[in-house]
Amino acid sequence: MSKLTLRPRPRGGRWPVALAWLSLLLLGGAALLMGGAGPAHRLALVDLGTAFGWLRQGAYVALAAAAVGLLTLLVASLCRRTQPALVGGLVIIAVAAMMWVPYQLQQRAQQVPPIHDISTDLENPPAFVALVEAREAAPNAVAHPGERTARQQREAYPDIQPITLELTLTEALSAAEAAALDQGWALAEVGRERIEATATTRWFGFKDDVVIRLSEVEDGTRVDVRSASRLGRSDMGTNAQRIRDYLAALRARVE
C-alpha cells in the first residue's frame, strides 16, 4: 500500500502570488489610462480636460502599482518565492519607465519660458492669412503676442534665426514646400512668397500652425518661419524645436 505524499505548503501561502497579480492589474490599469489619454482625445472620444484627468489618475494608479510591487518583492523575498519577487521587481521597473516621460516633460516645462508662439523674425513676424479662421476658433490669438513673448524667446532660444538660401525665389519656394511635406505637415496654402501649414502632434493630436515667408535679398532668398500653438500657454519648447528641425531639413535639401 503506497503512502500518500503531501506537497509542503509554499511559504507565505497565497499572499505573494496575490500581491503579484494585484500589482500587475494596477500596472495594466495605469498603462491604459496614461497610454490611452492622448489617442482618445485625438480621436475626439473625450475632451482635453478628461484626457488630462486620465493622465493624472493613471499616474496615481502607477504609483499604487509600484507600492504593491515593492510590497510583493519584500514579501516574496522573505518567503523565498522567486517568481512573485521577480514580478514585483519588474512592476517597479515598468512604473519607473512609465513615469520617465511625464517627468521629462515636467522638467522641460520648468526650463523653457511659458510661451507658445515662436518666430525667426521678431520685428515683423510672418502673419497667418489662410489659417486665420482656424486660429480664431482656437483659444490662442492669431496675431503674435508681442514684445514680452519676443523678449522671452530671445533669452531662451537665441538660435532661432532666419536663413538665407542661395536660390531664386521660385527655387526656394519649391524646396520650402518639399521640406514642409517631409515634416508631415498639412499644407493650407502655397503662394508665391509664403506657405501656411498645420502640424499635428502625434500623441494628443494638438494643432500647431506654421507660416513660412520667403523674401528676395541680395544674395538669394531669406526664409522666415513662425510656428504657433492653437492651444495652451506653454508649448514646452515644441515650436522652437519644430523650426530648428524644419530649417535643418531645408538646408539639407538644398545642399
Side-chain angles (χ1 to χ4, degrees):
M1 185 173 178
S2 62
K3 292 184 178 181
L4 181 64
T5 303
L6 297 176
R7 296 178 61 185
R9 184 182 180 185
R11 295 185 63 180
R14 297 180 179 179
W15 277 107
V17 174
L19 289 172
W21 275 110
L22 178 59
S23 66
L24 287 174
L25 289 173
L26 289 171
L27 179 65
L32 286 174
L33 286 168
M34 298 179 71
H41 177 262
R42 182 168 186 164
L43 295 173
L45 299 177
V46 298
D47 60 28
L48 186 60
T50 301
F52 281 163
W54 285 10
L55 283 177
R56 287 192 296 271
Q57 293 164 13
Y60 294 144
V61 175
L63 293 175
V68 176
L70 178 60
L71 181 61
T72 302
L73 179 61
L74 293 174
V75 171
S77 297
L78 290 174
C79 296
R80 298 179 182 177
R81 303 282 292 276
T82 304
Q83 290 184 344
L86 179 61
V87 170
L90 291 176
V91 166
I92 295 172
I93 294 172
V95 170
M98 288 173 58
M99 300 299 290
W100 179 248
V101 173
Y103 173 77
Q104 283 186 313
L105 292 176
Q106 182 183 29
Q107 293 300 305
R108 189 190 306 173
Q110 295 174 352
Q111 294 169 359
V112 299
I115 57 179
H116 57 264
D117 197 327
I118 307 297
S119 174
T120 58
D121 186 346
L122 294 172
E123 301 299 326
N124 180 28
F128 291 105
V129 178
L131 290 168
V132 165
E133 185 176 348
R135 292 194 63 80
E136 285 179 340
N140 290 341
V142 178
H144 188 273
E147 181 54 34
R148 181 179 179 182
T149 293
R151 183 175 64 254
Q152 290 176 297
Q153 178 187 318
R154 291 189 188 99
E155 294 175 357
Y157 313 120
D159 61 307
I160 302 297
Q161 300 292 334
I163 65 170
T164 299
L165 304 177
E166 295 181 357
L167 301 173
T168 65
L169 184 61
T170 301
E171 293 170 336
L173 178 65
S174 178
E177 180 182 358
L181 290 172
D182 289 343
Q183 301 300 304
W185 301 344
L187 301 184
E189 180 184 62
V190 179
R192 183 175 179 273
E193 298 180 344
R194 60 186 294 108
I195 297 171
E196 292 187 50
T198 298
T200 303
T201 61
R202 294 180 181 176
W203 190 18
F204 268 84
F206 293 135
K207 303 289 185 180
D208 298 340
D209 298 313
V210 182
V211 54
I212 303 161
R213 184 179 65 199
L214 307 174
S215 310
E216 289 184 307
V217 293
E218 184 177 347
D219 50 352
T221 301
R222 168 173 162 157
V223 181
D224 281 291
V225 184
R226 177 184 169 199
S227 182
S229 303
R230 293 185 188 178
L231 177 70
R233 181 166 175 251
S234 174
D235 64 6
M236 293 186 290
T238 298
N239 287 297
Q241 191 57 50
R242 179 177 293 115
I243 292 175
R244 292 189 191 103
D245 293 343
Y246 173 74
L247 293 179
L250 181 56
R251 288 193 191 96
R253 175 168 284 276
V254 301
E255 286 178 354

